[in-house]
Amino acid sequence: MSLADHLIELKRRLMIGAAAVVVAMIAAFFITEPVMHLITEPIRMLAAERGEQAAVELMYTSVTGAFDLRMRMAFAIGFLLSAPIWIWQIWAYIMPAMTKREKRYTVGFIAAAVPLFFAGCATGLLVMPNIVKLMAEFLTTGASAMYDANYYYDFVFKLMLFVGVAYIVPVFLIALNFAGVLTGKAILSSWRVAVLISVIFACIATPPADVATTFLITGILLVLYFAAAGLAMLLDHRRAKRAAALSPSGLTL
């Protein structure tokens, strides 16, 4: 294909991906109510526990605040719902330039990264109520908790995104191993750094007083890290055997 044909194809793929996001966003707008109900459950639990002691409420600070938040939620949900379509458009555009081996590896990486990302998002959503509840315990007697709706949504969204991205780091380690940038031994030899980073990440993602959740996230991250290191070492071993078999000294007459 000529450069002009490549640009036309890229434009077509981008238009299809953008249309899919818009359609999914419109559909997602109608499910923002149950989603908002789900993520605000900790606030209602706090309000029920504190009873008459103090108000625990979600508030909007502008006239259009509720609508603006629904639009933000619809875009985020629509972007995720349309992911299979726009990921396929990206894949279909770059696929002709790949070898069969590269195609197989790319499919494998995507197949591993997508479930891990959503598993990380689910973990963030599961630990979120504990974080909200724990932070509310620092309120003084008689104090009210008035959570700004946009700030609260940002907190939940960023927590889920943060943990989701952390879960796919091992996939990138494997990709670097495939590219020859990192060996399995190099990944494993950095286990002390991995432990430190995992602990720091877990401490940032969870409240300091929630030790159980901190250890849980740290443990999950370390299991994924050592699994990636083990798989990288296995791949290195296979490549070494294949190289030895193809070397002149390994050939048999």
Side-chain angles (χ1 to χ4, degrees):
M1 294 177 65
S2 65
L3 177 59
D5 291 333
H6 276 296
L7 293 176
I8 293 173
E9 177 69 6
L10 176 61
K11 179 182 178 180
R12 187 174 73 86
R13 297 291 181 185
L14 290 175
M15 291 296 291
I16 294 174
V21 172
V22 172
V23 172
M25 179 180 172
I26 294 173
F29 185 83
F30 296 98
I31 64 172
T32 53
E33 176 66 27
V35 172
M36 196 64 184
H37 186 271
L38 173 65
I39 65 176
T40 54
E41 178 63 23
I43 296 178
R44 290 188 296 276
M45 292 174 60
L46 283 173
E49 290 177 3
R50 295 176 69 87
E52 300 295 332
Q53 296 180 15
V56 180
E57 299 176 357
L58 190 72
M59 65 176 184
Y60 296 92
T61 57
S62 65
V63 175
T64 61
F67 177 77
D68 294 341
L69 180 57
R70 292 291 183 89
M71 290 298 293
R72 291 178 58 196
M73 293 175 63
F75 177 78
I77 298 171
F79 189 77
L80 292 177
L81 290 178
S82 62
I85 297 177
W86 56 261
I87 288 176
W88 167 252
Q89 296 304 315
I90 296 174
W91 167 253
Y93 180 73
I94 65 176
M95 183 175 57
M98 292 184 173
T99 64
K100 290 183 178 180
R101 187 178 181 184
E102 289 171 340
K103 294 175 185 177
R104 186 169 64 251
Y105 288 159
T106 304
V107 171
F109 290 140
I110 294 176
V114 171
L116 282 174
F117 175 76
F118 283 108
C121 291
T123 302
L125 187 61
L126 287 174
V127 302
M128 181 268 297
N130 295 331
I131 297 175
V132 175
K133 183 178 179 180
L134 184 63
M135 292 296 98
E137 292 180 1
F138 291 95
L139 290 171
T140 58
T141 304
S144 298
M146 309 296 288
Y147 297 107
D148 179 78
N150 284 284
Y151 180 87
Y152 183 83
Y153 169 72
D154 285 342
F155 162 73
V156 176
F157 180 76
K158 290 175 182 177
L159 176 64
M160 294 174 61
L161 184 64
F162 202 35
V163 181
V165 170
Y167 271 39
I168 64 174
V169 169
V171 178
F172 287 105
L173 292 177
I174 297 297
L176 291 174
N177 178 261
F178 269 105
V181 178
L182 283 176
T183 63
K185 289 184 177 179
I187 296 174
L188 187 60
S189 64
S190 302
W191 68 269
R192 295 178 180 83
V193 177
V195 171
L196 179 62
I197 293 175
S198 298
V199 172
I200 293 174
F201 173 84
C203 290
I204 294 174
T206 59
D210 194 355
V211 179
T213 304
T214 301
F215 276 109
L216 174 63
I217 294 181
T218 301
I220 293 174
L221 293 178
L222 289 178
V223 167
L224 292 173
Y225 170 79
F226 284 112
L231 180 58
M233 293 183 69
L234 178 62
L235 294 173
D236 288 342
H237 179 68
R238 289 183 177 179
R239 281 195 291 265
K241 287 181 63 176
R242 188 162 52 246
L246 294 177
S247 64
S249 60
L251 296 176
T252 57
L253 297 178

